[in-house]
């Protein structure tokens, strides 16, 4: 298995779901919630998909799949209960340079969807690389239980500092500053922040103090 974990920007991505059953329903919200443009081709759809269709969030072609359904599509999800058809869809998509997923246990595919936990400033994802997909959410739950809740505030604060650095410092200065940041006692801060209930304001102050300390150090070297 040669999978590389990536984050795919699906905003305005034209995605075709072939098949409208339980498998399609489970995967559909992840695409819709992140701005994908969805078309479903299937003679029937899961009852839970109807609200998306009625709201105009999903276009439904009420019929069987034809290869010309791939025209203008950038990503396809083969979600039928027919492994041979799913394989056909993936191979036809590949010939046209279209990314293809496949819900069948066996057969070709270009990517595997992962179990995902989203938070304000980060997300966690877990995968068994298709070997035991039912275990992926359980693995993710175990991982998420060990995550310090202060991570979101640390990330938000570091994001603001990063934007400030990109706006104000040269490439050479940034390189030195990234090295300095890597030496900060972030683990200690996280543990203390969790214990003392640091707010976002506390994190911003702590990060700003670190940046000012680096500035003073640089000025002292001049």
């Amino acid at each position: 298995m040669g999978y590389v974990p990536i984050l795919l920007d699906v905003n305005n991505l034209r995605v075709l779901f072939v098949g409208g059953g339980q498998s399609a329903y489970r995967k559909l919200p992840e695409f819709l919630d992140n701005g994908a443009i969805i078309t479903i081709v299937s003679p029937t759809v899961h009852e839970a998909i109807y609200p998306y269709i009625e709201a105009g969030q999903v276009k439904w072609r009420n019929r069987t799949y034809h290869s010309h359904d791939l025209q203008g599509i950038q990503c396809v999800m083969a979600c039928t209960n027919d492994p041979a058809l799913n394989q056909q869809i993936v191979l036809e998509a590949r010939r046209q340079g279209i990314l293809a997923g496949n819900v069948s246990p066996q057969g070709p595919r270009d990517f595997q969807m992962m179990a995902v936990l989203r938070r304000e400033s980060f997300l966690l994802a877990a995968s068994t690389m298709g070997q035991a997909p039912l275990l992926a959410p359980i693995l993710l739950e175990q991982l998420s239980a060990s995550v310090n809740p202060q991570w979101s505030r640390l990330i938000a604060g570091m994001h603001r500092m990063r934007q400030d650095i990109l706006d104000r410092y040269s490439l050479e200065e940034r390189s030195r500053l990234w090295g300095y940041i890597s030496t900060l006692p972030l683990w200690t801060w996280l543990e203390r922040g969790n214990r003392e209930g640091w707010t976002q304001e506390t994190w911003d102050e702590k990060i700003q103090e670190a940046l000012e300390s680096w500035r003073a150090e640089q000025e002292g070297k001049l």
Side-chain angles (χ1 to χ4, degrees), residues 15-21 24 28 37-46 49 53 58-71 73 75-81 85-86 89:
V15 182
L16 177 68
F17 277 70
V18 183
L28 191 62
I37 301 170
I38 305 293
T39 299
I40 295 177
V41 174
S42 178
T44 61
V45 294
H46 191 283
I49 295 178
I53 298 170
V58 170
K59 180 179 179 181
W60 177 29
R61 296 174 184 166
N62 185 358
R63 56 170 173 77
T64 58
Y65 164 81
H66 300 292
S67 58
H68 59 70
D69 287 316
L70 294 171
Q71 185 174 356
I73 294 300
C75 176
V76 62
M77 292 294 300
C79 295
T80 79
N81 57 8
L85 177 56
N86 287 342
I89 293 164

Side-chain angles (χ1 to χ4, degrees), residues 161 164-165 168-184 206-222:
M161 184 180 74
D164 183 42
I165 290 170
R168 298 177 57 182
Y169 293 95
S170 68
L171 187 61
E172 181 181 350
E173 289 174 319
R174 287 180 219 159
S175 179
R176 295 198 303 270
L177 186 45
W178 301 143
Y180 167 75
I181 291 171
S182 68
T183 67
L184 294 176
K206 178 68 69 173
I207 293 170
Q208 188 62 34
E209 288 173 4
L211 185 56
E212 290 174 359
S213 177
W214 180 82
R215 288 173 182 155
E217 180 181 329
Q218 297 305 300
E219 291 173 358
K221 292 180 180 179
L222 297 179

